[in-house]
Amino acid sequence: MKIRQQPGRNGSPRLKINRRRVVAMKQSMLYPRGSAARRVVDLGGMWKFCLDWDGKGDTEGWKDGIPGNEKIPVPASFNDFYTDKDIREFAGDFWYETEVFVPGEWKDMHVDLRFAALTHRGTVYANGQEIISHEGGFLPFSARIDDVVRWNEKNLVVVKGNNELSFTSLPAGITQTLKSGKKMVRPFFDFFNYAGIQRPVKLVAVPKEYIEDFTVNHRLDGADAYVDYQMETTGEHPVTVEVFDESGSFVTKAEGKAGTITIPNARLWEVRDAYLYRFVLKIMDGDAVLDEYEEEIGIRTFEIKGNSFLLNGHPVYLKGFGKHEDSDIVGRGYNPGVIKRDFELMKWIGANSFRTSHYPYSEEIYQMADREGFLVIDEVPAVGFFESLVNFVDAVSGKSTNFFERETVPELKKNHLAMLEDLIRRDKNHACVIAWSLFNEPDTMSESAVPYFADIFAKARELDVQKRPRTFAMELNSSPEKCTCYQFSDFLCFNRYYGWYLLGGYEMQDAEEAFRAELDAWLAKGVDCPFVFTEYGCDNLQGEYKLPSVQWSAEYELEYLKIYERVFDSYDCIKGEQVWNFADFQTVEGIMRVNGNKKGIFTRQRQPKTAAYYFKNRWEKLPVDYKG
């Protein structure tokens, strides 16, 4: 993330403003929660909206109010509300506007506009003043409006967003101009480039001296747990940490900004059997509470030994999905109803895990995973680092794009490192997060990728106090003969499509042999770690049946899946299967896409396809410690 912010007062961050470059700023990633000391107001609803077709918003002063009276829901992607194709495909600047009332009783507090996501970049104005600019469309940032707020009045908030892709954006792609003069994004990834204010916006008030960050790490000793913690505040008053169990009973208390909390006979967080303690953090001034914040935390350890994943010292086998935040009408917009439905379907089918392909998801999804006991591979939005407009085809062709030799790589890595830091700071306390995925399907066939990977992997290890395993998802071009970067991973993640993109149709009879040959080649290199298949699957058009089978039919999909079942069950090193994809999702138009990607085990409307019953039968029979 790259941010610039105006100088603040009363302890707020002071940063140099430079319109030609953006200055990094550390912000609190704590989820906005109200308390006796904090206030949170949801700003969701209908905002004014305007597309900047001619790029004139800056010169015409739209920061002081955007033209027209068009309204649009926030949060949501803007693309699918309209019947105009130019709007759905729009690339460039887009503007939002709303009025925010700020109560006068908050005068002695810091006041922030907190955006959970603005895709892919944007600038926030309050009462005509530029407050903050931000790069990156899947992580939160806050605009502190202390210096410009009008107390006990409505305040004008204007947001300029931009959804263009480039070689330095995460995810990556290009933006071109058509003969009509309209811009068009060309993603190097296979999902639709939804954009807008896609996640909740909150008005947040915190005390002048407030809790900025909280970090935990867990150790187990018999029945007891030891939680090492560190709290960061903006002042020097003493702090306390109180722990309560799920019944609300007091467990223990600690004092000081760093220390160790002992929890005797701890109830551990387990797969599909979650237990969350409530940690209440306070800044004290004598008996007075200056700030208070609470967080639900599951106590667990996660590590790799040999080729096994161990949760709380016991082996676990991953069953689940690659997913997308994608649904009808609101696109990639925050949708709590869909979140609830997705978890109910994952429970029904017998899954226990998913990967946040290909970007950090809404914070509420991790909270739900904590509560439901799902294991999450958390992925930074480093997708498209393989220069291809049909990456799903080129990924099996042996093609190399020398992506990491471009002159834009230093700026890309700067953005990558910043977003990785924000991701880990945001998600580090979630019990559900067991690993970091640092790339999806990058070009690793050139030695130029090695120093880039070394820096990213090292930074992830440095930032995470829990030292979770690190990995990246490899496409078929990252073969055992050609991949230059697999050695950085603590476990190997494979996206493989033997029998679909490679050796598909009647040739599928040769797919299993080719699949096994690759696995044997990896093992011949002496690799001793867990293997997880983070993508495998084939498209199925709901309602398509055919005997004998043909591609896109339910019969073909079941034949395909049985190949993978045989392979998975015959290699001890394979410790996870996450089929692609949980549900059908939107992509760019293409002759290999029927209104999107149809590899979903469920339809986009979250109804089961035939394959869902296959997985339910398989996964409900596999114990959590399968191959343990």
Side-chain angles (χ1 to χ4, degrees):
M1 179 181 72
K2 298 189 299 182
I3 292 176
R4 64 172 178 261
Q5 180 148 2
Q6 289 186 338
R9 63 184 180 188
N10 299 321
S12 61
R14 292 185 173 273
L15 293 168
K16 179 180 178 182
I17 300 174
N18 188 323
R19 294 188 179 274
R20 290 171 297 176
R21 71 184 182 93
V22 181
V23 183
M25 166 186 159
K26 179 180 178 182
Q27 292 198 346
S28 177
M29 287 287 162
L30 295 180
Y31 186 78
R33 292 188 176 93
S35 70
R38 293 174 172 232
R39 301 291 180 265
V40 178
V41 176
D42 193 317
L43 299 181
M46 301 299 288
W47 291 34
K48 284 186 67 176
F49 178 70
C50 185
L51 297 175
D52 194 353
W53 295 101
D54 301 316
K56 61 186 180 182
D58 287 327
T59 57
E60 292 191 355
W62 290 7
K63 65 183 177 60
D64 298 312
I66 67 176
N69 293 297
E70 182 68 19
K71 298 281 187 158
I72 201 168
V74 170
S77 307
F78 68 76
N79 309 80
D80 284 352
F81 289 117
Y82 299 94
T83 58
D84 187 324
K85 190 168 183 176
D86 285 340
I87 297 177
R88 186 189 70 197
E89 303 292 335
F90 177 82
D93 291 344
F94 48 87
W95 295 72
Y96 290 80
E97 177 189 318
T98 193
E99 290 184 326
V100 178
F101 182 84
V102 182
E105 56 263 34
W106 294 2
K107 280 186 177 180
D108 294 328
M109 306 176 79
H110 289 306
V111 180
D112 296 332
L113 291 166
R114 202 245 194 200
F115 293 79
L118 172 59
T119 309
H120 292 286
R121 63 195 57 82
T123 302
V124 178
Y125 304 88
N127 297 324
Q129 298 297 310
E130 180 179 338
I131 306 299
I132 197 168
S133 288
H134 177 261
E135 174 74 25
F138 302 98
L139 289 162
F141 67 97
S142 294
R144 180 149 292 170
I145 60 174
D146 295 8
D147 289 344
V148 300
V149 69
R150 297 168 183 163
W151 304 104
N152 270 336
E153 294 184 35
K154 291 181 179 179
N155 292 261
L156 180 70
V157 175
V158 174
V159 178
K160 180 182 73 172
N162 180 278
N163 65 342
E164 295 177 56
L165 301 175
S166 71
F167 280 96
T168 63
S169 64
L170 281 77
I174 56 175
T175 303
Q176 66 183 63
T177 301
L178 302 178
K179 291 181 179 179
S180 65
K182 294 184 175 70
K183 292 180 181 178
M184 176 182 178
V185 295
R186 304 296 298 271
F188 299 157
F189 49 88
D190 188 30
F191 54 93
F192 193 78
N193 187 46
Y194 281 116
I197 302 178
Q198 301 193 121
R199 294 180 188 161
V201 184
K202 305 286 180 71
L203 183 67
V204 181
V206 297
K208 293 298 185 181
E209 183 175 345
Y210 62 94
I211 298 161
E212 191 173 51
D213 199 10
F214 184 64
T215 307
V216 295
N217 190 24
H218 311 292
R219 295 177 286 119
L220 306 179
D221 185 4
D224 301 334
Y226 298 92
V227 181
D228 301 320
Y229 75 90
Q230 182 171 338
M231 191 190 313
E232 295 179 26
T233 73
T234 60
E236 299 302 324
H237 279 89
V239 301
T240 64
V241 181
E242 297 174 309
V243 182
F244 298 85
D245 65 19
E246 285 196 350
S247 71
S249 298
F250 175 80
V251 175
T252 189
K253 179 179 179 179
E255 297 181 354
K257 291 187 177 181
T260 299
I261 298 170
T262 302
I263 301 180
N265 297 311
R267 175 77 157 79
L268 300 183
W269 188 93
E270 300 282 2
V271 180
R272 300 291 298 110
D273 182 21
Y275 192 91
L276 301 178
Y277 288 88
R278 183 163 55 95
F279 284 61
V280 179
L281 322 176
K282 295 179 180 178
I283 301 177
M284 304 299 298
D285 184 6
D287 294 332
V289 178
L290 299 183
D291 189 23
E292 180 178 348
Y293 184 83
E294 66 178 54
E295 189 168 352
E296 288 189 317
I297 292 175
I299 296 173
R300 61 98 186 96
T301 61
F302 189 83
E303 60 183 327
I304 291 175
K305 285 192 176 179
N307 65 12
S308 293
F309 294 125
L310 300 180
L311 181 74
N312 301 325
H314 304 295
V316 294
Y317 185 85
L318 307 185
K319 305 173 291 183
F321 301 96
K323 291 182 89 276
H324 267 296
E325 285 184 293
D326 174 280
S327 61
D328 285 333
I329 301 176
V330 298
R332 193 147 291 117
Y334 170 67
N335 190 326
V338 170
I339 292 172
K340 175 63 176 177
R341 175 68 172 178
D342 285 2
F343 275 93
E344 291 303 312
L345 290 174
M346 288 192 290
K347 291 190 290 184
W348 172 83
I349 206 171
N352 65 14
S353 67
F354 60 91
R355 175 174 60 126
T356 69
S357 44
H358 298 297
Y359 38 81
Y361 286 179
S362 300
E363 294 150 287
E364 295 80 4
I365 293 177
Y366 300 82
Q367 294 165 12
M368 183 75 84
D370 281 344
R371 172 50 59 196
E372 297 287 0
F374 277 82
L375 304 171
V376 175
I377 299 175
D378 202 359
E379 192 159 88
V380 73
V383 58
F385 291 10
F386 180 92
E387 186 180 349
S388 171
L389 300 177
V390 283
N391 62 311
F392 49 89
V393 175
D394 289 336
V396 300
S397 67
K399 174 182 178 180
S400 176
T401 68
N402 297 317
F403 189 89
F404 296 98
E405 295 179 10
R406 301 186 65 88
E407 62 182 9
T408 52
V409 163
E411 181 69 14
L412 174 69
K413 185 163 71 171
K414 179 182 176 182
N415 291 338
H416 194 164
L417 288 168
M419 292 181 203
L420 175 62
E421 181 173 0
D422 281 355
L423 171 68
I424 293 178
R425 288 180 57 236
R426 190 193 73 166
D427 296 343
K428 61 190 174 183
N429 290 343
H430 285 292
C432 66
V433 176
I434 58 168
W436 309 111
S437 177
L438 307 181
F439 302 80
N440 179 75
E441 297 188 351
D443 185 348
T444 64
M445 298 173 67
S446 168
E447 289 292 334
S448 61
V450 174
Y452 190 110
F453 271 66
D455 289 347
I456 299 296
F457 273 79
K459 190 65 173 180
R461 178 52 55 92
E462 172 194 331
L463 291 169
D464 183 19
V465 67
Q466 293 189 16
K467 307 304 177 190
R468 291 171 178 86
R470 304 150 301 163
T471 190
F472 72 99
M474 294 187 284
E475 39 78 28
L476 189 60
N477 287 340
S478 295
S479 66
E481 298 81 20
K482 296 181 179 179
C483 182
T484 63
C485 298
Y486 73 90
Q487 68 275 12
F488 294 110
S489 291
D490 297 309
F491 64 102
L492 299 186
C493 287
F494 299 102
N495 297 352
R496 293 295 184 266
Y497 291 96
Y498 293 102
W500 187 248
Y501 295 124
L502 181 69
L503 299 173
Y506 191 50
E507 289 184 278
M508 187 167 64
Q509 59 192 294
D510 294 334
E512 183 171 347
E513 181 180 352
F515 191 3
R516 291 179 181 273
E518 187 198 350
L519 287 172
D520 292 341
W522 280 110
L523 293 174
K525 296 179 74 70
V527 176
D528 182 24
C529 67
F531 290 8
V532 176
F533 283 83
T534 40
E535 287 188 28
Y536 65 100
C538 59
D539 287 89
N540 167 248
L541 194 61
Q542 177 75 329
E544 187 69 28
Y545 298 94
K546 182 89 174 193
L547 279 177
S549 69
V550 294
Q551 289 179 290
W552 292 81
S553 70
E555 290 79 7
Y556 186 94
E557 184 175 23
L558 292 177
E559 292 170 7
Y560 171 101
L561 293 173
K562 288 185 179 296
I563 290 175
Y564 284 75
E565 177 181 330
R566 290 192 295 270
V567 172
F568 292 165
D569 290 347
S570 59
Y571 284 84
D572 181 65
C573 60
I574 297 176
K575 295 299 168 63
E577 50 191 78
Q578 294 183 331
V579 66
W580 189 255
N581 187 284
F582 171 78
D584 294 346
F585 60 93
Q586 193 61 259
T587 66
V588 298
E589 292 183 76
I591 58 174
M592 295 183 69
R593 294 286 175 257
V594 185
N595 188 26
N597 191 305
K598 294 296 189 283
K599 292 186 182 67
I601 304 306
F602 298 94
T603 66
R604 201 182 191 205
Q605 293 71 39
R606 273 51 182 186
Q607 295 300 329
K609 298 184 186 178
T610 300
Y613 298 96
Y614 161 82
F615 279 108
K616 181 175 175 63
N617 180 65
R618 171 171 171 77
W619 286 345
E620 287 185 338
K621 292 177 181 177
L622 293 183
V624 68
D625 61 350
Y626 181 52
K627 300 185 188 178

